[in-house]
Amino acid sequence: MKKHIAVVAGDGIGPDIVGEALKVLAKVGEKFGHSFTTSSYLAGGAALDSVGVPLPEETLKGCQASDSVLLGAVGGPKWDTLASNLRPEKALLGLRGGMGLFCNLRPAILYKQLAGACPLKNEIVGEGLDLMVVRELTGGIYFGQRGREDDSAYDTMAYSRAEIERIVRKGFEIAQKRSKRLCSVDKANILNTSQLWREVVKQVEVDYPDVQVSHLYVDNAAMQLVRNPRQFDVIVTENMFGDILSDEASQITGSIGMLPSASLREDSFGMYEPIHGSAPDIAGKNIANPIATILSVAMMLRYSFALATEADAIEQAVSKVLDMGYRTSDIYTEGMKKVGTNEMGDLIAQAL
Ligand code: NAD
């Protein structure tokens, strides 16, 4: 297979971790006989410093013309005082919106080797956790009409049937590839958008008879995630609920440096990035954990290129290196072998 990947390393630890992910991608190409070529583009603070805007047109065009995008992270204190339209984070919204990435996949995995990092009791998480939040990314309250007048303000949550249906179908498709259980989260006891959401889920579910569907109100879902997270496999929900629940789910794994994410279009095109930010406090020191970005490459292979065996191989290599006791500082516990960013990348590439 031949694929061209746009690489946006960004700021802070972005270049450190993306370098290691590309090392692993090259190893996959070599081992499985694929040709992965890359082009690098500027975004965020790096682009502001170089060309004065957070998302240069060349970057968006280059990403749109590629087969998929790998992103590190953007932002940092150097650009914090800029006006909101010049903030590095604008690049993220511009990339997501500009490429129509409406479906955000956020797995929350607690590796059994890192069970000690979970803030929940052992008997609640058992052998580990592996759930997936499927979040609508381009609609809802973050994109609705808004306004402010003196002491009153409003934001509008609006969804069309078509917007709901396309994300709900993604949820079903992903559930079919996993345990065939899908939990739809809404607030249908109060919100009109949620009532439409539930109606659409009930219409769409007849097309996926092998998937078992449940419905939860968002407040209950937030509670259940810490009470009994193992009851969940795939959760599908709207933009703001998904934003909050996916952060909650990621924190029960206790390790921000371990979690990847994907943002997908209707076809298989996607942008892949770790869930963490640019960690300016540790940038360029060879201590950042590259695993979230390496696992983002695994998601790219699985979801954009349908290379499930290759994706599994990366995930198994990560697990093997953890089994061998290697840890970057953020996941280090006594008795383990502490390694830097580069060594961790090398170890995972070797384990492949
Ligand atoms: P952060 O995720 O960058 O860092 C939070 C903490 O986690 C820090 O202590 C950091 O050192 C640590 N950390 C993060 N990733 C790590 C890794 N891979 N290995 C080891 N430790 C890691 O969040 P923040 O400090 O709130 O934000 C820093 C900058 O990143 C801000 O400018 C923010 O706007 C930006 N940001 C960008 C993105 C993105 O590009 N998608 C997301 C969130 C924040």
Side-chain angles (χ1 to χ4, degrees):
M1 179 182 281
K2 280 190 177 152
K3 293 288 175 191
H4 189 69
I5 296 151
V7 177
V8 184
D11 308 315
I13 59 170
D16 311 0
I17 53 178
V18 162
E20 299 314 306
L22 292 178
K23 212 185 256 177
V24 172
L25 181 69
K27 190 76 184 185
V28 171
E30 200 181 290
K31 185 176 149 66
F32 292 90
H34 304 301
S35 159
F36 299 119
T37 51
T38 58
S39 299
S40 295
Y41 296 98
L42 291 173
L48 278 161
D49 286 353
S50 172
V51 292
V53 289
L55 181 60
E57 215 175 293
E58 191 200 343
T59 299
L60 184 57
K61 282 199 175 135
C63 290
Q64 282 167 335
S66 69
D67 294 311
S68 76
V69 182
L70 179 67
L71 181 101
V74 296
K78 183 175 172 191
W79 307 282
D80 273 354
T81 49
L82 293 174
S84 67
N85 64 329
L86 282 179
R87 292 284 301 257
E89 293 79 1
K90 267 275 164 197
L92 289 178
L93 297 179
L95 283 169
R96 288 173 188 157
M99 296 190 285
L101 306 174
F102 71 93
C103 172
N104 187 217
L105 302 185
R106 293 258 308 245
I109 299 169
L110 172 64
Y111 287 83
K112 62 179 189 319
Q113 300 94 328
L114 304 179
C118 176
L120 302 181
K121 286 183 190 148
N122 273 348
E123 59 261 36
I124 295 180
V125 287
E127 272 288 275
L129 277 178
D130 182 357
L131 62 92
M132 173 79 85
V133 179
V134 180
R135 166 191 169 195
E136 203 288 327
L137 201 59
T138 51
I141 199 163
Y142 297 162
F143 291 87
Q145 276 198 0
R146 64 190 62 195
R148 168 86 199 249
E149 222 171 84
D150 299 329
D151 287 340
S152 75
Y154 67 94
D155 299 282
T156 317
M157 186 187 280
Y159 269 110
S160 68
R161 183 177 287 276
E163 278 177 311
I164 298 172
E165 185 170 336
R166 65 181 183 174
I167 187 72
V168 164
R169 285 196 183 276
K170 282 274 185 197
F172 274 101
E173 285 160 18
I174 285 156
Q176 275 183 325
K177 292 189 191 130
R178 292 173 51 108
S179 74
K180 300 187 169 48
R181 285 183 294 124
L182 179 69
C183 177
S184 169
V185 172
D186 61 34
K187 190 71 184 166
N189 50 342
I190 304 210
L191 299 175
N192 277 314
T193 44
S194 284
Q195 283 154 16
L196 179 62
W197 180 281
R198 205 174 269 223
E199 199 179 298
V200 172
V201 174
K202 286 185 175 155
Q203 272 163 5
V204 166
E205 74 180 320
V206 296
D207 294 339
Y208 305 87
D210 51 335
V211 176
Q212 187 196 330
V213 185
S214 59
H215 299 267
L216 278 185
Y217 296 139
V218 63
D219 41 351
N220 188 14
M223 180 184 75
Q224 296 295 337
L225 261 176
V226 289
R227 200 186 68 85
N228 177 17
R230 285 164 66 82
Q231 70 185 282
F232 295 108
D233 187 52
V234 181
I235 292 174
V236 64
T237 190
E238 66 87 46
N239 200 344
M240 181 172 62
F241 299 162
D243 191 8
I244 298 167
L245 291 181
S246 61
D247 263 27
E248 185 187 0
S250 72
Q251 283 312 297
I252 57 181
T253 73
S255 50
I256 198 169
M258 296 288 298
L259 299 178
S261 77
S263 302
L264 306 174
R265 207 163 64 184
E266 205 114 25
D267 56 10
S268 58
F269 182 85
M271 181 163 83
Y272 299 82
E273 56 182 308
I275 68 154
H276 58 73
S278 60
D281 51 329
I282 57 168
K285 295 182 179 160
N286 193 33
I287 49 178
N289 186 348
I291 294 180
T293 319
I294 290 170
L295 292 174
S296 299
V297 167
M299 288 189 87
M300 177 190 291
L301 299 180
R302 187 183 309 281
Y303 292 105
S304 280
F305 305 156
L307 296 174
T309 308
E310 289 80 345
D312 285 347
I314 295 181
E315 287 161 3
Q316 281 159 15
V318 167
S319 199
K320 189 170 169 191
V321 169
L322 294 176
D323 276 339
M324 289 155 72
Y326 293 106
R327 305 281 188 272
T328 42
S329 320
D330 57 311
I331 51 172
Y332 177 78
T333 46
E334 223 181 291
M336 297 291 123
K337 299 172 222 169
K338 198 184 274 189
V339 293
T341 313
N342 297 337
E343 286 161 286
M344 185 54 100
D346 287 343
L347 284 162
I348 294 167
Q350 276 160 25
L352 266 167

